[in-house]
Amino acid sequence: MAAGGRASEPLAELSHYVVARPIYSEPGFQEENERRSVGCVDHLFSRRCSRKRAFQIAKSFLPILEWLPNYRVKEWLISDIISGLSTGLVATLQGLAYALLVAVPVGFGLYSAFFPILTYFFLGTSRHISVGPFPVVSLMVGSVVLSMAPDENFLIEGSNGTGTNATGALIDTESRDAQRVLIASTLTFLVGILQVIFGVLQIGFIVRYLADPLVGGFTTAAAFQVLVSQLKIVLNVSTKNYNGTLVETFEKIGTTNIADLIAGLLTIFVCMVVKEINDRFKHKIPIPIPIEVIVVIATGISYAADLEKKYNLVTPIYFLNARFLPPEPPNVSLFSQMIAASFSIAIVAYAIAVSVGKVYATKYDYAIDGNQEFIAFGFSNIFSGAFSCFVATTALSRTAVQESTGGKTQVAGIISAGIVLISIVALGKLLEPLQKSVLAAVVIANLKGMFMQVFDVPRLWRQNKVDAMIWVFTCIASIILGLDLGLLAGLLFGLLTVVLRVIEPEGVKILKFSSPIFYANIDGLKSSLKSTVGFDAVKVYNKRLKALRKIQKLIKKGKLKATKVGLFKIIYVNFFLKGLLLELLNNQDPQVPTKEVEIQVDWNSELPVKVNIPKVPIHSLILDFGAVTFLDIVAVRSIKTIIKEFERIDVRVYFASYQDNLISQLERGAFFDDTVRKDIFFLTVHDAVLYIRNQMTYSDNQDPIFEKVRISSSTFPFFHHLALILEVSVAHLKSRPRTVVPKKWECSKLGSFCST
């Protein structure tokens, strides 16, 4: 038993993970590891290398060349067909439903569920996500559409109106809908352009800043806003705002249409029950029940019961075009009005797609390329924007259907697009009697997963209170400020908590730059540097010079004692030694040659002059250049000036995590000289911190005053006496460990002695 017990314990040497290597500065690393450029440049005239390289580039841009040649037809094709059929039916209903959020005729939702898939099939790196509309992104697009094309812009007089608003005024709905479709497609086109630019610039890393608590709070807030916007459709009440508010909706609740309400509630109930069955018995049910498709039965009920005529306020969807509209160019003149919103929509749409894609990539052991996903969705939105679509990403529920029904690759996606195509050209008229309240209910039923995220907050609070605060703050901010500003506020709040949670070594300040540094932002860099360290290096230096001039005046007036032996710092000297030292100073032989002893001034201590000198609480500054890809000549000169400004107030400046090309840029800018050398550059921030700690430990283990006194005691009688006094004082302190710490008596200027 004893042996077995010992065997069950982990070996001590195996219970630690240790990595040991030298502290690497730039010269040290270059000396130990000579870097060589290896690649096709060395074989410029090699046809074999150039062909291989060209094919690799083609595969990186067209991932279909990677996975399609390896497609297992016998194993995967049947599964992809079944998955595509199921996903296509769900995509059809969701496309119609999410069009309500964008405030465009529902038929355009079918276009948005079809066109984006065609380009993503060739360019995307995820095998399982279902590309198309998503409620959060659709609502963000709808907010832009409604702000730029409200009902008030289409009021008409007389009896030629094709609709009415909440006040009963006539509206030209055809012109309104055409303008809203143009705005939505133009916004989609612009979002696509931005996503392509982001992908080309390789900034897919931006999704890292969207932490899980932030995304959870944001999507929950978005689900709440979606619920509010669809509630008016389920109740079929008129509000001044297309999406409506809770106050407006409940003010008009007396006008609720009972037929729409019953149809909506039944749809929500049935959808949620069936979805719960799918979740609980997913191991026993080979294919999830596509409940969204089953509720289309409501179309037959609506048509058979002739609900439109019996209940005047029941609204069929109508306006389904059994054809494709020709491609149209975007209205470029609208770009300036929607550029701000397009940034947030581009990031949110990308973040949702990549987050979902990574879940299934991890599950099935393959990788997705974040930058390529930016490019894939960018071109998908550019292409679909030309065909009157709205922004595409992926829907959680639709992707779950595609994966759970056996989807292996994007072949399932292209088959689902075929089902949507059939709905557009053949089934459109059959869907026209379907009530909008049923579509709104489908949207609400699909929000269940987002609302369930609320139960993550107690768990987050137990695990990490800061993450829980990020979740709650982002959710509340997104509800109050709107989705775009709420996301920005949550992101800034999350970054702030990261800054506050970073523990820096005492006396060391670490500052990270996240962009190229050039003439346009160098002033901002200087300002952020001052605010980070808490002082202005130039002002500190000038204040110190002013203090030194005042000390010189006090020496001349005889208020401070100056000696020829120079100034040195004596720490922890017993109070009774003051008289002995003064006697030594006053009685020293002026004929004896003296030598100045260099002592660093403790500027953070109390000085004998009344000068308000800012405190400098740090001795080292580390600039993290991990994300700095470029420095122009103005930046090089300014950074060199910054180093010198900090060095003269005894703050050492170091650089860490720099990119390879940065050193060559600095060399071309004449950055290095005898004072600014490469040994202040370190491979990582950790290397720099370890180097600083070693330097401080080395200096702390020595007593420079005592050493200088010992060296000089054989030459100068004054130092000899002082050394004896120091030795006696130290021995006296060691013999009385409980004695109160003696008064600190120190000098304040090279070449002068300050008497207290």
Side-chain angles (χ1 to χ4, degrees):
M1 293 297 294
R6 287 193 300 270
S8 63
E9 296 178 359
L11 296 175
E13 60 269 21
L14 298 180
S15 61
H16 294 81
Y17 184 86
V18 180
V19 176
R21 65 166 176 80
I23 299 174
Y24 280 134
S25 63
E26 172 65 17
F29 183 80
Q30 292 291 354
E31 181 180 354
E32 185 170 336
N33 303 278
E34 181 180 0
R35 297 178 178 176
R36 295 182 302 169
S37 177
V38 180
C40 288
V41 176
D42 299 331
H43 308 279
L44 186 60
F45 300 102
S46 173
R47 179 178 300 180
R48 179 180 180 183
C49 181
S50 60
R51 284 180 178 176
K52 183 178 179 181
R53 181 61 178 163
F55 186 65
Q56 290 294 334
I57 294 175
K59 286 198 298 184
S60 65
F61 183 71
L62 292 171
I64 189 174
L65 298 177
E66 179 75 33
W67 62 265
L68 190 59
N70 300 318
Y71 187 81
R72 305 173 188 173
V73 177
K74 294 182 179 180
E75 298 178 30
W76 293 350
L77 184 58
I78 299 299
S79 298
D80 280 341
I81 291 175
I82 296 173
S83 175
L85 293 173
S86 303
T87 307
L89 294 173
V90 175
T92 299
L93 265 294
Q94 288 189 353
L96 294 172
Y98 297 157
L100 298 176
L101 298 173
V102 186
V104 296
V106 294
F108 292 92
L110 294 179
Y111 301 153
S112 302
F114 171 74
F115 284 104
I117 300 176
L118 303 182
T119 45
Y120 189 86
F121 178 75
F122 295 95
L123 301 175
T125 59
S126 174
R127 303 174 189 171
H128 293 90
I129 65 172
S130 175
V131 180
F134 182 64
V136 173
V137 176
S138 299
L139 185 67
M140 296 178 74
V141 174
S143 64
V144 177
V145 170
L146 292 172
S147 65
M148 296 179 64
D151 287 342
E152 290 73 16
N153 292 359
F154 302 93
L155 299 178
I156 58 176
E157 297 180 358
S159 59
N160 295 324
T162 53
T164 59
N165 63 3
T167 62
L170 294 176
I171 301 174
D172 185 356
T173 56
E174 292 184 4
S175 300
R176 182 200 63 184
D177 291 344
Q179 182 65 15
R180 288 179 175 178
V181 169
L182 177 62
I183 294 172
S185 60
T186 300
L187 177 62
T188 301
F189 194 91
L190 180 57
V191 167
I193 292 175
L194 293 176
Q195 289 178 328
V196 170
I197 292 174
F198 292 157
V200 172
L201 294 180
Q202 302 284 297
I203 58 174
F205 65 86
I206 197 171
V207 75
R208 300 174 190 170
Y209 295 99
L210 300 178
D212 289 343
L214 186 146
V215 174
F218 173 76
T219 53
T220 303
F224 175 78
Q225 294 200 8
V226 171
L227 173 64
V228 172
S229 69
Q230 298 304 289
L231 192 59
K232 67 175 286 284
I233 300 177
V234 172
L235 299 176
N236 197 3
V237 297
S238 299
T239 59
K240 294 180 180 178
N241 189 305
Y242 179 87
N243 283 332
T245 64
L246 281 177
V247 176
E248 285 183 303
T249 300
F250 284 109
E251 284 179 350
K252 298 291 186 67
I253 199 168
T255 62
T256 299
N257 181 265
I258 302 301
D260 274 328
L261 177 61
I262 294 175
L265 292 178
L266 282 175
T267 302
I268 294 172
F269 175 77
V270 173
C271 285
M272 286 189 171
V273 169
V274 175
K275 285 178 179 292
E276 187 66 23
I277 293 174
N278 286 338
D279 289 338
R280 293 198 177 188
F281 301 99
K282 58 185 176 182
H283 299 296
K284 297 181 179 180
I285 303 176
I287 300 176
I289 303 171
I291 186 58
E292 288 93 346
V293 180
I294 295 176
V295 299
V296 177
I297 297 173
T299 302
I301 296 175
S302 175
Y303 180 77
D306 198 14
L307 296 180
E308 181 186 2
K309 293 182 179 179
K310 291 183 178 180
Y311 301 92
N312 294 328
L313 295 177
V314 173
T315 354
I317 57 177
Y318 285 140
F319 307 117
L320 287 180
N321 295 312
R323 59 185 180 83
F324 287 111
L325 297 178
E328 294 184 3
N331 188 343
V332 180
S333 63
L334 299 177
F335 280 2
S336 60
Q337 303 177 50
M338 56 179 61
I339 184 66
S342 63
F343 270 99
S344 58
I345 294 173
I347 298 299
V348 171
Y350 167 78
I352 291 171
V354 171
S355 299
V356 175
K358 284 185 175 180
V359 171
Y360 293 103
T362 302
K363 181 177 179 180
Y364 290 97
D365 193 25
Y366 67 92
I368 64 173
D369 185 340
N371 294 312
Q372 180 61 27
E373 287 296 292
F374 251 139
I375 294 174
F377 277 101
F379 279 111
S380 293
N381 284 317
I382 290 174
F383 176 67
S384 58
F387 288 92
S388 304
C389 301
F390 47 88
V391 178
T393 175
T394 185
L396 308 180
S397 59
R398 196 167 60 246
T399 298
V401 170
Q402 180 164 317
E403 184 269 340
S404 59
T405 51
K408 304 297 183 184
T409 65
Q410 282 300 325
V411 170
I414 208 71
I415 292 174
S416 70
I419 300 299
V420 177
L421 175 63
I422 294 173
S423 301
I424 293 173
V425 299
L427 303 179
K429 289 295 181 180
L430 298 178
L431 294 174
E432 282 192 351
L434 183 61
Q435 297 166 237
K436 284 186 178 179
S437 60
V438 172
L439 293 179
V442 170
V443 174
I444 294 174
N446 280 285
L447 299 177
K448 176 191 172 185
M450 296 186 206
F451 281 122
M452 294 299 289
Q453 294 177 123
V454 173
F455 296 102
D456 291 342
V457 178
R459 176 182 57 82
L460 286 174
W461 184 259
R462 291 191 299 268
Q463 295 176 350
N464 191 312
K465 292 180 172 57
V466 176
D467 286 342
M469 292 171 60
I470 293 174
W471 195 105
V472 174
F473 179 87
T474 305
C475 182
I476 295 175
S478 299
I479 291 174
I480 296 175
L481 302 177
L483 295 180
D484 47 358
L485 293 178
L487 177 64
L488 178 60
L491 180 60
L492 294 177
F493 181 77
L495 293 176
L496 177 62
T497 62
V498 171
V499 173
L500 295 178
R501 282 187 282 184
V502 171
I503 301 176
E504 295 173 329
E506 184 179 359
V508 179
K509 185 65 70 174
I510 303 171
L511 184 60
K512 181 180 179 66
F513 300 99
S514 300
S515 68
I517 304 175
F518 54 104
Y519 67 91
N521 64 358
I522 190 66
D523 290 334
L525 182 149
K526 294 178 181 178
S527 300
S528 63
L529 185 60
K530 292 176 186 177
S531 62
T532 300
V533 299
F535 58 84
D536 186 333
V538 176
K539 289 183 179 179
V540 170
Y541 180 72
N542 292 335
K543 288 284 187 179
R544 290 183 178 182
L545 289 180
K546 183 178 179 181
L548 292 178
R549 286 194 291 267
K550 287 194 174 186
I551 290 175
Q552 288 177 344
K553 291 181 181 179
L554 292 176
I555 293 172
K556 291 180 180 179
K557 294 179 180 179
K559 294 183 180 181
L560 292 178
K561 189 71 174 179
T563 70
K564 294 182 179 180
V565 297
L567 181 68
F568 40 87
K569 194 179 196 180
I570 305 173
I571 301 178
Y572 299 132
V573 180
N574 283 349
F575 185 72
F576 77 90
L577 295 178
K578 176 181 177 181
L580 294 175
L581 289 173
L582 286 176
E583 184 178 355
L584 286 171
L585 291 170
N586 291 329
N587 295 333
Q588 60 178 322
D589 187 358
Q591 302 300 323
V592 177
T594 60
K595 182 179 180 180
E596 237 180 28
V597 181
E598 184 177 354
I599 303 297
Q600 186 174 2
V601 179
D602 185 2
W603 290 104
N604 290 325
S605 64
E606 185 177 354
L607 299 177
V609 292
K610 294 182 178 180
V611 178
N612 184 19
I613 302 178
K615 304 296 183 184
V616 179
I618 63 172
H619 53 72
S620 303
L621 173 65
I622 301 175
L623 303 180
D624 184 352
F625 273 22
V628 178
T629 57
F630 170 73
L631 292 170
D632 70 353
I633 190 64
V634 176
V636 171
R637 293 174 180 172
S638 299
I639 292 173
K640 189 171 184 177
T641 302
I642 290 172
I643 294 175
K644 293 182 177 180
E645 290 173 353
F646 277 92
E647 291 281 354
R648 64 186 184 182
I649 61 171
D650 305 316
V651 176
R652 290 279 290 167
V653 181
Y654 302 92
F655 298 84
S657 302
Y658 53 91
Q659 300 191 18
D660 291 342
N661 63 336
L662 200 63
I663 296 295
S664 59
Q665 292 180 17
L666 293 173
E667 288 175 340
R668 289 194 297 269
F671 181 79
F672 299 105
D673 54 25
D674 293 338
T675 57
V676 181
R677 300 178 305 201
K678 292 183 180 179
D679 57 3
I680 63 174
F681 285 78
F682 292 86
L683 260 65
T684 66
V685 173
H686 191 58
D687 283 312
V689 171
L690 290 178
Y691 175 82
I692 293 168
R693 284 184 172 177
N694 288 344
Q695 293 295 105
M696 298 306 298
T697 302
Y698 176 77
S699 61
D700 290 343
N701 289 336
Q702 300 186 28
D703 187 350
I705 306 297
F706 193 73
E707 290 297 323
K708 289 178 182 178
V709 169
R710 279 198 174 278
I711 292 171
S712 305
S713 62
S714 60
T715 308
F716 307 116
F718 171 75
F719 288 107
H720 178 66
H721 290 295
L722 180 58
L724 292 176
I725 292 173
L726 285 174
E727 289 179 352
V728 172
S729 175
V730 171
H732 178 67
L733 289 175
K734 288 182 177 179
S735 65
R736 299 183 61 189
R738 296 186 180 181
T739 304
V740 178
V741 178
K743 287 186 66 177
K744 184 177 180 181
W745 185 41
E746 59 185 20
C747 307
S748 300
K749 182 182 180 299
L750 186 64
S752 65
F753 190 86
C754 305
S755 60
T756 57

